[in-house]
């Protein structure tokens, strides 16, 4: 089934991304576009949003921008909207646009909470991007608040990757031995 292959490729890309296999994740995302050739374009914000995150981590901001453009504009009320908004926040932060990153990261969190009752740092770690953007803007209290919330939610979730992301975020806000211990 073409649709099963597409979905399987997308989900395998997530696992590869989380393990740090960025090249493999990109290859899977390319495979997940097979159904698009036959007109099945639903879910573009999911796959292109993941492509944004991967390209940001690879340092290819032009490719990340292209992926964000390919994601299109998801309709209001869809779950694709906070996914695309969070991807836009990550790219804005990487491009040095801290105010836009903070606005979009917090908007993604609000959309997920209000529209879907989702606040899971293993799904969309928007608080990390918000905290890093707040630091870049010199808003250390706001950054600390978001980082503390992130760690609380990560520990609640019990997801090791989420806890690791939260501890690394905490480390950004500290110095010396405490920073080393957090890392």
């Amino acid at each position: 089934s073409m649709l099963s292959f597409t979905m399987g490729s997308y989900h395998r890309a997530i696992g590869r991304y989380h393990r740090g296999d960025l090249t493999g994740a990109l290859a899977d995302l390319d495979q997940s576009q097979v159904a698009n050739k036959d007109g099945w374009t639903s879910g573009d914000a999911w796959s292109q949003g993941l492509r944004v995150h991967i390209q940001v981590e690879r340092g290819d901001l032009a490719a990340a921008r292209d992926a964000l453009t390919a994601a299109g504009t998801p309709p209001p009320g869809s779950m694709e909207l906070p996914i695309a908004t969070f991807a836009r926040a990550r790219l804005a932060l990487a491009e040095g646009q801290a105010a836009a990153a903070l606005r979009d990261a917090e908007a993604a969190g609000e959309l997920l909470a209000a529209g879907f009752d989702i606040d899971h740092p293993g799904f969309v770690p928007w608080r990390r991007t918000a905290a890093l953007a707040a630091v870049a803007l010199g808003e250390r209290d706001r950054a600390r608040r978001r980082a503390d919330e992130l760690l609380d939610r990560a520990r609640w979730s019990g997801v090791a990757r989420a806890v690791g992301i939260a501890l690394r975020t905490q480390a950004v806000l500290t110095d010396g031995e405490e920073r080393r211990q957090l890392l």
Side-chain angles (χ1 to χ4, degrees):
S1 165
M2 177 179 53
L3 293 178
S4 294
F5 176 76
T6 295
M7 293 302 292
S9 296
Y10 167 74
H11 284 93
R12 186 169 66 178
I14 295 170
R16 285 183 167 175
Y17 167 65
H18 286 180
R19 286 193 320 268
D21 179 6
L22 303 182
T23 301
L26 285 173
D28 282 334
L29 284 177
D30 289 344
Q31 292 298 312
S32 77
Q33 299 303 299
V34 167
N36 284 26
K37 294 175 182 132
D38 286 335
W40 295 91
T41 58
S42 178
D44 281 350
W46 292 85
S47 59
Q48 295 303 329
L50 180 56
R51 191 178 299 273
V52 169
H53 298 300
I54 293 167
Q55 296 294 13
V56 163
E57 294 200 17
R58 292 181 70 232
D60 190 344
L61 301 185
R65 172 71 47 203
D66 290 344
L68 188 60
T69 300
T73 304
S78 70
M79 190 174 284
E80 288 186 328
L81 184 58
I83 298 302
T85 303
F86 178 60
R88 189 173 62 217
R90 289 266 332 266
L91 179 57
L93 185 61
E95 292 178 332
Q97 300 171 9
L102 180 59
R103 181 184 64 247
D104 284 341
E106 290 183 341
E110 290 169 14
L111 288 165
L112 283 169
F116 305 97
D117 199 27
I118 295 174
D119 187 8
H120 197 292
F123 178 50
V124 176
W126 65 270
R127 285 184 179 92
R128 174 175 170 74
T129 301
L132 296 176
V135 166
L137 292 169
E139 297 182 29
R140 293 198 63 82
D141 289 342
R142 188 175 188 177
R144 172 61 62 197
R145 188 171 54 254
R146 289 298 185 205
D148 289 346
E149 292 168 358
L150 177 62
L151 185 57
D152 288 344
R153 295 300 296 168
R155 287 188 171 142
W156 162 84
S157 76
V159 175
R161 180 176 182 275
V163 173
I165 288 170
L167 291 172
R168 287 181 56 86
T169 305
Q170 292 278 330
V172 169
L173 300 169
T174 60
D175 295 313
E177 180 62 23
E178 182 182 0
R179 183 175 194 181
R180 188 184 70 74
Q181 289 177 1
L182 287 167
L183 289 172

